[in-house]
């Protein structure tokens, strides 16, 4: 496996279900992201895990709960979703400079985000 | 708050034509700018990344320019092909957490 993978690719769930989306990156990156893409709207950043710390967008409802057990895996736990939550959920990863070590060094791919294929979620 | 605008929203051209996609952003204090391609129902593929200190980047038939002071970037596609048909997204990174702010995209159709 290479790049960023996401499972499942398609998910249909009822409003009372609990499900989880999984993302895995094979790029050795240290930051991972969840985005939501709804029809006719720009991509919206939902959550960021950067250098093992979580940075979240305060406008994300609590029915979305992220989990990042290590730098290679990211989950999005879903419960009691609404039909308007139907969208394409995209995961991405990037490389950020470490907190200690060689400060100031920038490579061509630093901060460049690599995206997975997405999970198409439909809430019925 | 950073806002990214892409013009036009949709573009249809005959095969072989050279074309330019436009992106503008409101806050010129950016770290980098990325152009992505998205095929229907699929994820994003990174095309070009321009650091704030750079003026342009080239990859094959693609050339992206950046004018940070005016808040503009263009993506130039030479000799367009039907396989170039997709939505092209522009995104800028401004903050310390390296969040990307996306435009709504330009949907390109290249007709054979």
């Amino acid at each position: 496996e290479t790049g960023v993978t996401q499972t499942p690719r398609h998910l249909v769930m009822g409003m009372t279900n609990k499900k989880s989306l999984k993302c895995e990156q094979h790029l050795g990156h240290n930051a991972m992201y969840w985005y939501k893409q709804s029809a006719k709207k720009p991509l919206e950043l939902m959550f960021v895990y950067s250098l093992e710390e979580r940075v979240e967008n305060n406008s994300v409802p609590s029915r979305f709960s992220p989990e990042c057990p290590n730098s290679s895996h990211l989950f999005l736990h879903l419960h009691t979703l609404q039909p308007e939550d139907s969208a394409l959920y995209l995961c991405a990863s990037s490389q950020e400079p470490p907190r200690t070590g060689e400060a100031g060094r920038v490579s061509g791919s630093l901060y460049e985000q690599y995206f997975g294929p997405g999970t198409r979620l439909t809430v019925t | 708050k950073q806002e990214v605008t892409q013009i036009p929203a949709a573009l249809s051209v005959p095969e072989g034509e050279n074309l330019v996609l436009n992106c503008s952003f409101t806050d010129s204090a950016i770290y980098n700018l990325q152009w992505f391609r998205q095929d229907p129902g699929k994820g994003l593929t990174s095309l070009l990344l321009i650091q704030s200190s750079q003026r342009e980047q080239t990859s094959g038939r693609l050339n992206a320019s950046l004018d940070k002071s005016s808040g503009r970037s263009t993506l130039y596609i030479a000799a367009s092909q039907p396989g170039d048909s997709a939505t092209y997204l522009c995104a800028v990174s401004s903050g310390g957490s390296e969040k990307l702010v996306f435009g709504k995209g330009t949907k390109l159709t290249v007709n054979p």
Side-chain angles (χ1 to χ4, degrees):
Chain A
E1 289 279 15
T2 59
V4 181
T5 58
Q6 290 186 243
T7 55
R9 295 294 308 277
H10 300 273
L11 177 62
V12 179
M13 59 186 289
M15 289 190 285
T16 58
N17 290 158
K18 289 184 180 181
K19 296 286 184 184
S20 296
L21 309 184
K22 179 183 176 182
C23 175
E24 184 173 0
Q25 60 94 3
H26 309 270
L27 301 168
H29 288 165
N30 57 13
M32 297 187 76
Y33 311 77
W34 279 117
Y35 289 88
K36 176 183 179 182
Q37 188 176 35
S38 304
K40 300 181 180 179
K41 287 186 178 180
L43 264 78
E44 300 170 275
L45 178 67
M46 299 177 72
F47 300 106
V48 180
Y49 275 85
S50 175
L51 301 171
E52 300 178 13
E53 288 186 1
R54 175 175 152 186
V55 177
E56 64 184 284
N57 183 329
N58 291 331
S59 65
V60 179
S62 59
R63 56 185 184 269
F64 295 92
S65 175
E67 179 189 1
C68 189
N70 54 62
S71 61
S72 299
H73 294 85
L74 184 65
F75 295 89
L76 188 63
H77 304 299
L78 316 171
H79 64 96
T80 59
L81 294 191
Q82 304 298 312
E84 60 264 29
D85 296 323
S86 299
L88 181 67
Y89 288 84
L90 292 163
C91 173
S93 70
S94 69
Q95 180 63 30
E96 298 194 359
R99 286 204 182 91
T100 58
E102 300 179 44
R105 183 175 67 150
V106 177
S107 72
S109 62
L110 199 63
Y111 302 122
E112 183 173 7
Q113 293 196 14
Y114 294 78
F115 281 76
T119 294
R120 172 67 63 185
L121 174 66
T122 303
V123 181
T124 61
Chain B
K1 179 184 174 185
Q2 179 75 270
E3 293 184 1
V4 179
T5 303
Q6 291 187 245
I7 296 173
L11 181 64
S12 181
V13 300
E15 182 177 3
E17 199 164 287
N18 301 327
L19 57 99
V20 174
L21 307 181
N22 297 293
C23 172
S24 61
F25 45 95
T26 54
D27 186 351
S28 62
I30 66 170
Y31 186 86
N32 63 38
L33 182 146
Q34 274 186 264
W35 281 95
F36 295 89
R37 169 190 172 132
Q38 186 175 30
D39 293 286
K42 302 288 181 66
L44 277 64
T45 300
S46 179
L47 298 173
L48 291 164
L49 179 144
I50 311 177
Q51 302 287 356
S52 62
S53 58
Q54 297 174 324
R55 296 299 296 266
E56 66 177 346
Q57 283 286 338
T58 298
S59 176
R61 293 182 294 108
L62 305 179
N63 176 276
S65 67
L66 174 64
D67 184 343
K68 200 172 72 165
S69 61
S70 67
R72 295 176 188 274
S73 175
T74 61
L75 179 66
Y76 175 83
I77 302 177
S80 58
Q81 303 170 357
D84 295 330
S85 298
T87 296
Y88 291 81
L89 295 161
C90 168
V92 297
S93 173
S94 302
S97 61
E98 308 313 319
K99 297 177 184 178
L100 281 181
V101 178
F102 283 82
K104 291 185 179 181
T106 294
K107 184 176 181 181
L108 173 65
T109 303
V110 181
N111 300 300

